[in-house]
Amino acid sequence: MTESSRTTSREFRTLLAHAVIGVGLSAAMLACAEPEEPARSAETVQPAAQPQAQPVSGVLYHTELSFVGRGAEPSLVHLRFDNRTDSTSIHLSYRGWFGGDEWRGILDQSDTLPVPRAAWRILPSGPVRIVAGEGGEPSSVILELAEGSLRLDSRGAIGSWNSSTGQRESLKLAELLGESGAEEGLLLARQSARRIDELPGMGPGQYFLVSDTAGNGLLIMRDSTSPDEPVVVRTWFDDTESEWDDALVLALAAADDSPGRWSFELPEAGLLGELRGAGPPLDVGSGDGDGIEVFRVEAALILEGQSWTMRGIGVQEQTVE
């Protein structure tokens, strides 16, 4: 990174930090005039659809992991783990892709096992190895590939929450280790459960996870692409997480071969930006009517006259209502 870009990075982060502080001061002033509410901690949030100790027959348990590295051209990983239960067995469908200059498949594993007590967990199968962390969630996912192992390690939670559709979601610091070495980055983990006879909702939902070479990150999520649909944004700048619920996202005209182009705004923070999908989208749908596209994305950000660029991953999929 050049001295000029380092200076721009510091200025950009400082400006956003000032916006966060300003919003925090406003909230503090309001708090002085209103009754105090009990504090809420991300550590105590429980998923709306809490995984059962004893698996229920006919349920799809889904875990989704998206990693964005902090390189100038970041490594991208998207992993999907589906566990389907019936009265006697659990059917695994584990798939994954690595995104560099282009997407390539790194995991395609199907298996049938006796139903374990915790059917929502990712289970070792074929090339998949798991190191379990607190609460049984994976602290490491290891793929034994022909060209060598690929390891995705969680390095600590930034924040966790429940989505409006009941998904357990968290943003974490992470590290990817592969044949080209180690790369730090951000990891979005999502868990959900639904009955197999429930069809995906109208959707589609979207999320964008982007990062820069300093390790700062921006996560934009919405359950529908309707202009009126609420948008939630989480920023990670200078080791500080902030949540913004006043974001606006609008679709813009894009080339026919582009995954899409969108503008976004955080009015409270004074942050403007544009998201541009790059390259043809990767269709990773399971064939059950759940159209899912994954694509590389670039975010151009503007805050008080300063511009900044982040890169990462975009995912658009059908959602369960």
Side-chain angles (χ1 to χ4, degrees):
M1 182 181 291
T2 65
E3 183 62 32
S4 174
S5 61
R6 283 195 293 268
T7 301
T8 303
S9 174
R10 289 193 296 269
E11 290 175 346
F12 183 86
R13 297 197 304 271
T14 300
L15 288 169
L16 185 58
H18 288 168
V20 172
I21 292 171
V23 173
L25 289 174
S26 298
M29 293 174 65
L30 287 174
C32 294
E34 297 177 0
E36 182 178 356
E37 294 184 2
R40 292 181 296 177
S41 169
E43 297 298 324
T44 61
V45 172
Q46 297 297 322
Q50 180 74 15
Q52 301 294 316
Q54 186 63 40
V56 178
S57 178
V59 173
L60 170 63
Y61 298 92
H62 175 73
T63 299
E64 181 177 335
L65 304 176
S66 293
F67 171 84
V68 173
R70 56 185 293 181
E73 294 295 335
S75 297
L76 308 176
V77 174
H78 185 69
L79 303 174
R80 307 182 72 87
F81 302 93
D82 289 337
N83 294 351
R84 296 171 181 264
T85 62
D86 58 29
S87 58
T88 60
S89 306
I90 182 169
H91 307 278
L92 312 182
S93 177
Y94 292 173
R95 298 170 298 145
W97 299 264
F98 179 89
D101 294 335
E102 60 183 24
W103 291 99
R104 62 182 176 89
I106 55 175
L107 176 63
D108 189 1
Q109 172 69 13
S110 298
D111 202 354
T112 299
L113 304 170
V115 176
R117 286 187 58 82
W120 59 271
R121 293 181 179 176
I122 304 172
L123 301 174
S125 178
V128 180
R129 300 289 180 267
I130 300 296
V131 178
E134 184 178 354
E137 295 187 0
S139 62
S140 298
V141 177
I142 305 164
L143 304 181
E144 299 294 347
L145 308 176
E147 61 271 24
S149 64
L150 187 69
R151 181 180 181 123
L152 182 56
D153 292 332
S154 173
R155 296 300 190 193
I158 294 173
S160 60
W161 60 92
N162 291 324
S163 75
S164 62
T165 55
Q167 292 198 101
R168 174 69 168 177
E169 301 173 336
S170 59
L171 184 63
K172 306 176 181 180
L173 299 174
E175 184 176 51
L176 181 69
L177 298 93
E179 56 182 351
S180 59
E183 184 175 354
E184 296 179 346
L186 298 175
L187 175 67
L188 174 65
R190 311 178 81 199
Q191 291 179 320
S192 63
R194 67 172 173 88
R195 297 199 62 87
I196 294 174
D197 55 9
E198 292 179 352
L199 296 177
M202 294 301 292
Q206 281 181 330
Y207 67 82
F208 305 96
L209 176 62
V210 293
S211 183
D212 62 17
T213 55
N216 302 303
L218 174 73
L219 173 63
I220 301 175
M221 309 186 78
R222 56 178 177 166
D223 296 329
S224 169
T225 56
S226 168
D228 298 329
E229 185 69 23
V231 181
V232 176
V233 174
R234 285 178 166 81
T235 55
W236 175 249
F237 283 84
D238 284 344
D239 298 333
T240 300
E241 183 206 18
S242 300
E243 178 182 347
W244 313 84
D245 57 7
D246 65 333
L248 303 173
V249 176
L250 295 174
L252 303 176
D256 292 340
D257 59 350
S258 169
R261 181 168 156 256
W262 303 264
S263 67
F264 70 92
E265 179 182 359
L266 297 183
E268 259 190 309
L271 178 65
L272 302 174
E274 182 177 308
L275 297 156
R276 296 185 292 270
L282 178 69
D283 185 356
V284 303
S286 65
D288 293 338
D290 56 346
I292 302 165
E293 292 183 341
V294 178
F295 47 90
R296 291 182 292 115
V297 68
E298 179 177 293
L301 313 178
I302 300 175
L303 182 64
E304 294 188 8
Q306 300 292 332
S307 61
W308 195 242
T309 300
M310 291 184 169
R311 293 178 174 84
I313 190 170
V315 178
Q316 179 168 294
E317 58 186 313
Q318 297 294 106
T319 57
V320 177
E321 293 186 335

